[in-house]
Structure formats: structure tokens, C-alpha cells
């Protein structure tokens, strides 16, 4: 069966520090991969998606970037965090061509 | 521009009764709709979906209804159970290369014993 992992589960970082969040998927090949952010009291906002290694599409211009160095690995990064980057970050995967997305456990990021 | 809207931030229902969660959308290109359930500090879990060629889809206690002319969908849970207490998100997708989802803001459902 397929599983999706995210780490770390929680993170507290000062303003101006770098960020790296990692997501890996097991049990499937060539998945579509997605990064979402949920701000407090808000819905899920799609940040980036990828349909293959090295292929990244950005949905919202911002202080973040994403990379997909391996088929089942998706990384969210920032060179310098802002206070507004605080939130709950979720990684998801889907079978190409299917609409259903399956989410990881999330990372709670607090920028202080 | 919020393309998917859940206008009720919260809903309280008595155990055993029916819970009805509503969702409206504006983009007529959406052709697939999904409902997710989310507990605090966890990722959303997929519940049920419906294609735009249907007007109803049922899975156990969960039924989703789609009214394309009104651009409205609803999730019915019957009977409601305490474990159903969570935040429910509706999502929609238009035919695209990566099946991107647009989410509503969520409705917090509380089932009272």
C-alpha cells in the first residue's frame, strides 16, 4: 500500500532563517506531488505541484521554492523565512490522471 | 477570487441526526468534486467524490449531491456519529494536466451526544 511521510512534524524557526521540509511517498511510481499551506482558520492553498522529476509549477509567487530531486521525493525550501510563512504545510500525492489526492501528516511551522 | 466557498464556518448536530454540509463554486469549468475530512494537526483524508456527469454519489453513511445549474454541492452524513466531528473541506478540479484541487475554507462539524 502507499504511504506518505513528512518531516519534521513541528518546527519553530526565527525570521530570516532557511527552511527545508521533506516529503516522500512509498508504494507508487511517478506520482503527481503537491505542496499546500493551511493558514490559521483558512482553507488549503496550493503552493507547488510536480508531474515529474525536476518539473515544478508554482501557483503563488512567494518566498518559497520547491524541488523534486527524485521520483518520490518533494522538498519545500526557503532561503529566508518571513513571519507570514507560518502555517501548516501539507504534502500530497495522486496517481496521474486521477483527481483524488492523498495527504501526509503535515508540518506545523512557526516563524518567530 | 474564491472559486470554492463554504459559507458556514461551523455546524453543530445531534448524534444520530443528519449532518448537511454545503459548498458553492463559481468556475463552470470544474468537472470533479471531492470532500475531505480533517482532524486537528493531521492531514486531510479523502471521503467521497463526484463527477460532474452525476448528481449523486453514495458511500455508506456519506452521500454527495451535485446541482450543476446552481453550482452547489452538499455532503450528507446520516446518521451522524461523534467520530464525525472534524473540519470538512470541499474541493473542485477542472480538467488540467495535474488535476489541481481548489479547496473551500472548511466547515467545522461538531456532533453532540
Amino acid at each position: 500500500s502507499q504511504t506518505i511521510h513528512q518531516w519534521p512534524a513541528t518546527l519553530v524557526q526565527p525570521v530570516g532563517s532557511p527552511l527545508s521540509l521533506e516529503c516522500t511517498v512509498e508504494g507508487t511510481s511517478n506520482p503527481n506531488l503537491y505542496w499546500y499551506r493551511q493558514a490559521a482558520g483558512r482553507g488549503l492553498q496550493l503552493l507547488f505541484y510536480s508531474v515529474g522529476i525536476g518539473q515544478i509549477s508554482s501557483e503563488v509567487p512567494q518566498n518559497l521554492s520547491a524541488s523534486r530531486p527524485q521520483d518520490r521525493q518533494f522538498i519545500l525550501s526557503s532561503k529566508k523565512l518571513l513571519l507570514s510563512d507560518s502555517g501548516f504545510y501539507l504534502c500530497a500525492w495522486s496517481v496521474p490522471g486521477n483527481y483524488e489526492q492523498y495527504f501526509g501528516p503535515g508540518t506545523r511551522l512557526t516563524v518567530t | 477570487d474564491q472559486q470554492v466557498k463554504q459559507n458556514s464556518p461551523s455546524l453543530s448536530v445531534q448524534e444520530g441526526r443528519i449532518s448537511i454540509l454545503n459548498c458553492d463554486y463559481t468556475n463552470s469549468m470544474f468537472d470533479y468534486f471531492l470532500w475531505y475530512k480533517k482532524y486537528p494537526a493531521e492531514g486531510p483524508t479523502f471521503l467521497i467524490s463526484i463527477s460532474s456527469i452525476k448528481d449523486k454519489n453514495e458511500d455508506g453513511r456519506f452521500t454527495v449531491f451535485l446541482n450543476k445549474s446552481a453550482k452547489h454541492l452538499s455532503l450528507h452524513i446520516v446518521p451522524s456519529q461523534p467520530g464525525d466531528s472534524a473540519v470538512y473541506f470541499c474541493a473542485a478540479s477542472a480538467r488540467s494536466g495535474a488535476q489541481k484541487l481548489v479547496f473551500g475554507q472548511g466547515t467545522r462539524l461538531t456532533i453532540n451526544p
Side-chain angles (χ1 to χ4, degrees):
Chain A
S1 64
Q2 299 86 7
T3 56
I4 178 169
H5 304 279
Q6 281 186 250
W7 63 92
T10 60
L11 192 59
V12 180
Q13 292 284 95
V15 169
S17 64
L19 173 73
S20 181
L21 303 181
E22 190 165 342
C23 169
T24 59
V25 181
E26 295 177 356
T28 187
S29 296
N30 196 32
N32 288 344
L33 295 173
Y34 310 84
W35 277 111
Y36 289 87
R37 176 172 58 203
Q38 184 185 16
R42 304 289 296 276
L44 280 69
Q45 181 185 35
L46 178 63
L47 303 175
F48 301 94
Y49 67 92
S50 172
V51 299
I53 295 174
Q55 300 179 61
I56 309 295
S57 296
S58 173
E59 286 294 293
V60 183
Q62 57 204 317
N63 187 40
L64 302 168
S65 62
S67 62
R68 184 171 177 174
Q70 299 181 44
D71 181 45
R72 289 170 289 175
Q73 183 184 30
F74 206 21
I75 296 173
L76 184 69
S77 304
S78 174
K79 292 182 179 178
K80 290 186 177 182
L81 284 169
L82 306 172
L83 285 174
S84 57
D85 292 324
S86 293
F88 192 52
Y89 287 83
L90 290 155
C91 181
W93 71 275
S94 71
V95 173
N98 287 6
Y99 290 97
E100 290 82 3
Q101 293 180 18
Y102 302 95
F103 286 82
T107 295
R108 171 72 59 192
L109 171 65
T110 303
V111 182
T112 61
Chain B
D1 175 26
Q2 192 124 25
Q3 299 184 68
V4 179
K5 297 181 183 180
Q6 294 176 256
N7 292 317
S8 298
S10 63
L11 177 67
S12 185
V13 174
Q14 193 169 5
E15 182 179 358
R17 305 294 291 268
I18 184 171
S19 296
I20 300 176
L21 297 106
N22 294 302
C23 180
D24 298 296
Y25 62 96
T26 58
N27 189 342
S28 57
M29 297 301 291
F30 288 146
D31 62 353
Y32 203 85
F33 305 87
L34 307 92
W35 283 94
Y36 283 82
K37 174 181 180 179
K38 184 181 181 303
Y39 293 118
E42 294 183 10
T45 55
F46 169 70
L47 266 180
I48 191 169
S49 61
I50 187 167
S51 165
S52 61
I53 63 174
K54 296 184 177 180
D55 54 18
K56 176 183 175 181
N57 188 27
E58 189 172 354
D59 183 2
R61 295 187 298 115
F62 302 91
T63 303
V64 55
F65 295 91
L66 175 62
N67 183 334
K68 288 188 291 294
S69 61
K71 293 190 175 66
H72 177 85
L73 65 154
S74 61
L75 175 68
H76 293 209
I77 307 173
V78 56
S80 299
Q81 300 174 354
D84 296 330
S85 295
V87 177
Y88 289 78
F89 291 96
C90 67
S93 184
R95 210 176 304 275
S96 69
Q99 287 74 46
K100 297 180 291 182
L101 298 181
V102 179
F103 282 84
Q105 313 95 302
T107 297
R108 181 177 302 278
L109 174 65
T110 302
I111 306 301
N112 302 307

